[in-house]
Amino acid sequence: MSINPAPRIIAELRPKYEIKIDLDERCFLFPAGKSVSQLLLLSDGHTILIDAVYPFNQARTPPRLVALDLDDAREFGRRLVEAVHTARTQLVGTNGIRISINVVANGYHLQFGDMNAATELFLGTGCIWRVCQGLLRIVDLIAPIESN
């Protein structure tokens, strides 16, 4: 009898939860200068990874935009919904992350990280609610809050 540990190791690397969010043609990532067609939210149950799916990627830009722990993702989701509802700029600042959410003429400008070396994601108004729902859905999958 032979025991092969490789399949178990591969299974452990797979995310427990995965949510795909379709974006529209007005979504772009900078400084890479790429169009983004989809956001992929992955989680192992502790950390939430936000990856971009590009329709073209000749430069081999990495897909990872940001990694969030549960509390940071919950706060980001709340601030994103608040920014969309009130049409005002929001700042998510915790010990783990710094994200600014700016309302612009044709959508939303999300800036991840330090101002000097930030990753910028421009989202059109047609897909912003899908992004909000997807982010809150993966937080709920990881740590559902019991209702009264």
Side-chain angles (χ1 to χ4, degrees):
M1 179 191 282
S2 169
I3 297 175
N4 186 358
R8 193 173 87 210
I9 292 170
I10 292 171
E12 289 174 5
L13 296 176
R14 284 192 200 137
K16 214 172 177 182
Y17 305 103
E18 178 179 307
I19 293 179
K20 295 178 182 177
I21 304 167
D22 290 328
L23 303 178
D24 59 21
E25 65 279 352
R26 294 183 290 165
C27 300
F28 296 93
L29 180 70
F30 289 95
K34 300 236 185 273
S35 175
V36 180
S37 61
Q38 214 175 46
L39 289 180
L40 185 59
L41 306 179
L42 306 166
S43 179
D44 59 359
H46 304 289
T47 304
I48 297 171
L49 307 172
I50 301 178
D51 288 354
V53 177
Y54 312 115
F56 59 89
N57 193 8
Q58 296 301 318
R60 307 279 189 246
T61 303
R64 182 77 21 91
L65 300 179
V66 68
L68 307 167
D69 66 20
L70 182 61
D71 291 333
D72 291 343
R74 188 175 281 131
E75 182 67 16
F76 177 39
R78 176 170 170 47
R79 294 294 176 196
L80 187 59
V81 169
E82 191 173 340
V84 175
H85 265 290
T86 62
R88 291 187 180 169
T89 296
Q90 295 290 325
L91 179 63
V92 183
T94 66
N95 291 336
I97 61 163
R98 186 187 181 295
I99 303 172
S100 66
I101 306 163
N102 298 303
V103 182
V104 294
N106 291 313
Y108 296 84
H109 173 233
L110 280 61
Q111 190 171 20
F112 302 97
D114 185 26
M115 297 289 264
N116 298 328
T119 300
E120 298 175 275
L121 179 64
F122 289 86
L123 298 171
T125 54
C127 67
I128 194 66
W129 286 116
R130 288 192 300 269
V131 174
C132 293
Q133 289 176 358
L135 184 59
L136 295 175
R137 183 174 294 150
I138 199 158
V139 168
D140 187 57
L141 283 170
I142 294 170
I145 299 174
E146 198 170 12
S147 61
N148 294 335

